[in-house]
Amino acid sequence: MLENQYRLAIAPMMDWTDRHCRFFHRQLTTHALLYTEMVVADAVIHGARERLLGFDEVEHPVALQLGGSDPAKLAEAARVGEAFGYDEINLNVGCPSDRVQSGTFGACLMKVPDLVATCVAAMKAAVTVPVTVKCRIGVDEQDPEPALDALANGVFDAGADALWVHARKAWLEGLSPKENRDIPPLDYNRVYRLKAGKQNKFIGINGGIQSLDEARLHLDHVDGAMLGRAAYHTPGILAGVDAAFYGARSEAFDFAALIDAMADYAAHHIEQGGRLGHITRHMVGLFHGLPGARRYRQILSTDATRPGAGADMLKTAFAAVELGGAAAEAA
């Protein structure tokens, strides 16, 4: 069950994979595993839980990613997440942001694999849903061979159900978080070697995957592939996920129905005091490469962001797109 569910996942991305983004992505793929943005354990325990953790039932399967390094706090946050209905709890051992470093969690935890293992063990003891980890292949001057092995051995010994590996180092000194997504070279072979030595453990890969075809190629070597920026900037590719990875029948995707669903969702959000732009900002790249896509983007980037913009703006933007026979191909 885990292996099938995890074949294709959408990466947790700060400021991007909020509940509106996940609702939108779920309209494109029924089966891909979705992840929240990272939520700090202290915020889960002491913050506004509904605002931080609330999600629509349609998002399942959906995983909560936690940040932190205190085993007791992570265990408590995991319990809260499970009570909210999340299908998985994931520990962030890969984010290189300054805020994460100052809190002694994220990628800097690669340097203390024993602590990560202790955190995983505490989380496993607290919940019945799967507990997973997302990491880098190493940080700073670490040698990725022993560093990744030490992290993987520790978390699997502690009971982790899966390990997702972003196939780059994180440079905590000298590179910005944005630069850490591009400058350190990708080393997919390091992740392949990890999987070769752990045939009975779930190893997924992340980092620089631009298409569903690339994701399928990785599955010759690892158990799952995780799309990040490609899924966000060109979300139309997600319309092909269910057929490519989950055995669904391949057929033209109904983009008109998608827009109707998002317009209804947006109308409800606006009724609750939200703004259309909270939702449409995630949809700008939907028709990338199709005639009319530029006008669609303009409407969502300008008209839809103005105060008082209504859900019908989505349908106005969609009317500018010329789908023709290219709809399924573009997806």
Side-chain angles (χ1 to χ4, degrees):
M1 179 178 176
L2 276 183
E3 183 172 349
N4 186 58
Q5 179 174 306
Y6 288 7
R7 284 179 63 78
L8 197 288
I10 311 302
M13 292 175 278
M14 292 295 292
D15 300 321
W16 286 358
T17 51
D18 62 17
R19 62 188 302 173
H20 307 309
C21 177
R22 298 192 307 268
F23 183 92
F24 168 50
H25 285 174
R26 183 56 74 215
Q27 308 310 304
L28 291 157
T29 167
T30 301
H31 299 293
L33 179 63
L34 306 181
Y35 278 83
T36 69
E37 304 170 88
M38 183 190 70
V39 186
V40 177
D42 275 325
V44 172
I45 296 169
H46 303 293
R49 292 179 178 177
E50 179 57 36
R51 178 178 62 81
L52 290 168
L53 301 180
F55 66 94
D56 194 291
E57 286 297 308
V58 76
E59 294 176 37
H60 290 293
V62 57
L64 169 65
Q65 186 183 68
L66 295 175
S69 59
D70 183 302
K73 290 180 179 180
L74 284 166
E76 176 60 23
R79 277 192 288 267
V80 173
E82 181 178 44
F84 260 78
Y86 283 97
D87 301 293
E88 173 201 318
I89 310 296
N90 178 267
L91 177 61
N92 184 317
V93 189
C95 182
S97 77
D98 295 337
R99 183 168 67 90
V100 165
Q101 292 182 56
S102 66
T104 318
F105 51 92
C108 61
L109 291 177
M110 292 292 300
K111 298 178 179 179
V112 284
D114 289 346
L115 174 58
V116 177
T118 301
C119 291
V120 169
M123 295 163 71
K124 283 291 293 184
V127 299
T128 59
V129 295
V131 172
T132 67
V133 174
K134 188 170 186 289
C135 69
R136 295 280 185 132
I137 60 174
V139 296
D140 297 334
E141 299 297 339
Q142 280 185 328
D143 181 343
E145 295 299 326
L148 184 56
D149 281 345
L151 191 285
N153 290 338
V155 300
F156 282 126
D157 287 347
D161 295 283
L163 177 64
W164 289 98
V165 185
H166 185 148
R168 304 180 197 267
K169 269 190 174 184
W171 286 94
L172 303 180
E173 299 181 8
L175 293 181
S176 69
K178 182 179 185 299
E179 290 170 330
N180 262 296
R181 294 193 292 267
D182 295 298
I183 293 177
L186 286 158
D187 188 355
Y188 295 135
N189 286 327
R190 177 62 191 98
V191 187
Y192 298 165
R193 291 194 296 276
L194 179 69
K195 175 58 189 177
K198 297 187 180 301
Q199 290 298 312
N200 296 322
K201 302 297 184 182
F202 186 97
I203 305 290
I205 198 165
N206 171 230
I209 302 173
Q210 297 298 314
S211 68
L212 299 189
D213 287 340
E214 286 184 31
R216 277 195 295 265
L217 291 175
H218 285 298
L219 295 185
D220 291 337
H221 306 279
V222 293
D223 303 300
M226 180 179 276
L227 295 176
R229 283 172 291 169
Y232 191 84
H233 291 307
T234 55
I237 67 174
L238 300 181
V241 165
D242 292 350
F245 296 91
Y246 296 96
R249 186 172 62 183
S250 182
E251 54 189 17
F253 187 81
D254 190 345
F255 284 103
L258 164 66
I259 296 298
D260 285 345
M262 293 308 301
D264 289 345
Y265 178 82
H268 178 73
H269 177 64
I270 292 167
E271 287 173 3
Q272 300 301 309
R275 295 181 60 173
L276 180 63
H278 296 159
I279 295 161
T280 55
R281 74 186 186 97
H282 303 299
M283 301 177 63
V284 172
L286 178 60
F287 297 109
H288 177 77
L290 289 182
R294 182 179 180 184
R295 179 60 183 147
Y296 168 87
R297 291 193 302 270
Q298 288 174 338
I299 293 171
L300 293 195
S301 299
T302 56
D303 297 350
T305 63
R306 292 172 181 156
D312 283 348
M313 193 68 67
L314 264 171
K315 296 182 180 181
T316 300
F318 179 56
V321 180
E322 300 175 28
L323 289 178
E329 181 180 348

